[in-house]
Amino acid sequence: MAGDRRGPVLPRYRGPLSAALTCALRDGGALPDTAAASRADPYGDDLQLALYTCYELHYRGFDGVDSGWEWDPALLAVRAALEHRFLAALRRDLGDPGSLDDLLSGLLVDTVDGGGVSEFLEERGTLDHLREYVKQRSLYHLKEADPHAWVLPRLSGRAKAGMAAVEYDEFGGGRAERVHARLFADLMADLGLETYYGHYVDVGCAEMLALVNAMSLFGLHRRLRGALVGHFAAVEITSSPASRRLAHAMERTGAGPAAEFFYSEHVEADAVHEQVVRRDVIGGLLDEEPELEPDIAFGIAVTSHLEDRLGSRLLTAWGA
């Protein structure tokens, strides 16, 4: 296949699955065996990087990799095996996530014990801590709102209108310089980091890859549209208080005006978005498809579960 010269470079592989996939995309070698995917650690670096690489073909692609790989039937079979392994592990580990009302109420309870990542960064994080955190988050924030846009054709009525309203804000309200991905790149520049899309995938930990992969997994499958709405709700409802703490962290460390602005912008915007998501997106979806309530709950539970795993990874590293 001829190479397309756009997008980030292919990431360095982390095991047999990602190695075979990388070699296939780069040199035309054999794709990974689907049976091997069924035996891999569902949360491990190898599977998560392989799945991330598959998904990126639907976003910016990779430099030198032909666009035709996006819908290659054999590669899609590999992706399906990776997805099945990951999704089965999430369903096994979360079990019954509980009622949607309880999960939404839980998201509204802000932490006060200083035990989370944003609390750590606000109170005692250094510029090095902030740079490490931002490198990880860049895997999502440089394409912020893109995975959620896939759900729009799968919604209707009030849910669609509410989702589109929030996405319009995320994409800058029609102003390129206000697109949230652009604002995050400006934040990265303030911290002296490379702003190119996908640049830090090789330092992205498995926990961060899993969090980004969950968004793509939910977004690319119509049957998981309820889970994507649940994920979106979890992101928007928890964003405002965390963003306030991170804005304080950027101010305290002198990170720079763009670094402060990205998070201060999210404090107000996401407080408004939270109301729209709860009232219109979730409310509208349940009015039309009440049978999706367990899926919405699952999406919220998955987001909290994966965020907790990422937070534990970062806090353990910083504590050491």
Side-chain angles (χ1 to χ4, degrees):
M1 292 183 176
D4 287 344
R5 297 198 59 78
R6 61 174 180 269
V9 298
L10 280 165
R12 292 193 297 269
Y13 60 82
R14 306 184 191 181
L17 289 170
S18 52
L21 179 61
T22 298
C23 291
L25 294 176
R26 185 184 58 216
D27 305 320
L31 287 164
D33 181 17
T34 56
S38 67
R39 298 189 296 269
D41 177 358
Y43 298 112
D45 280 284
D46 191 27
L47 183 143
Q48 290 299 329
L49 181 61
L51 189 53
Y52 178 91
T53 302
C54 290
Y55 286 147
E56 280 304 304
L57 297 170
H58 298 288
Y59 292 103
R60 307 284 183 90
F62 296 100
D63 183 43
V65 174
D66 192 278
S67 296
W69 277 111
E70 181 181 6
W71 298 111
D72 180 83
L75 188 142
L76 291 177
V78 172
R79 197 192 84 188
L82 298 169
E83 289 175 328
H84 178 77
R85 180 69 167 161
F86 183 35
L87 188 58
L90 291 171
R91 294 198 183 280
R92 177 199 67 207
D93 294 343
L94 293 172
D96 181 0
S99 77
L100 179 57
D101 287 341
D102 288 345
L103 287 168
L104 289 171
S105 297
L107 294 175
L108 291 167
V109 178
D110 195 15
T111 57
V112 295
D113 61 359
V117 169
S118 62
E119 291 91 345
F120 175 94
L121 293 173
E122 179 184 32
E123 295 169 7
R124 53 192 184 279
T126 66
L127 279 173
D128 283 341
H129 290 132
L130 289 169
R131 290 187 183 103
E132 184 175 1
Y133 177 75
V134 166
K135 287 177 185 179
Q136 297 291 331
R137 287 290 181 183
S138 70
L139 301 189
Y140 164 61
H141 280 302
L142 289 180
K143 62 181 174 198
E144 185 170 346
D146 289 350
H148 302 122
W150 276 319
V151 83
L152 283 168
R154 297 157 183 174
L155 302 176
S156 61
R158 191 153 55 98
K160 186 174 194 141
M163 191 78 186
V166 176
E167 287 283 272
Y168 181 69
D169 285 348
E170 301 285 349
F171 290 129
R175 297 170 57 188
E177 73 278 6
R178 300 282 295 195
V179 173
H180 284 192
R182 176 70 257 171
L183 297 179
F184 194 81
D186 295 341
L187 174 157
M188 296 179 76
D190 264 3
L191 290 171
L193 299 175
E194 173 59 58
T195 63
Y196 190 69
Y197 178 96
H199 179 79
Y200 290 108
V201 64
D202 285 328
V203 300
C205 62
E207 291 81 0
M208 187 67 224
L209 291 172
L211 192 57
V212 177
N213 285 340
M215 302 181 208
S216 300
L217 170 62
F218 295 159
L220 283 166
H221 293 273
R222 182 182 174 276
R223 66 186 173 86
L224 296 173
R225 63 195 179 280
L228 186 67
V229 167
H231 167 79
F232 190 62
V235 170
E236 295 298 326
I237 292 172
T238 59
S239 174
S240 186
S243 293
R244 182 179 294 106
R245 289 189 287 267
L246 290 167
H248 291 160
M250 296 295 179
E251 179 182 13
R252 180 180 59 77
T253 56
E260 288 182 46
F261 181 74
F262 176 82
Y263 287 111
S264 61
E265 167 78 1
H266 280 69
V267 172
E268 182 175 348
D270 288 345
V272 175
H273 293 170
E274 178 256 318
Q275 296 297 319
V276 176
V277 171
R278 293 185 74 203
R279 181 186 64 246
D280 294 328
V281 181
I282 292 179
L285 182 58
L286 289 178
D287 283 348
E288 295 197 5
E289 299 183 272
E291 69 277 7
L292 293 183
E293 182 171 341
D295 290 341
I296 299 173
F298 177 67
I300 293 173
V302 165
T303 308
S304 298
H305 174 64
L306 296 177
E307 285 283 3
D308 288 346
R309 287 176 55 85
L310 175 63
S312 177
R313 169 72 177 261
L314 293 174
L315 292 171
T316 298
W318 293 338

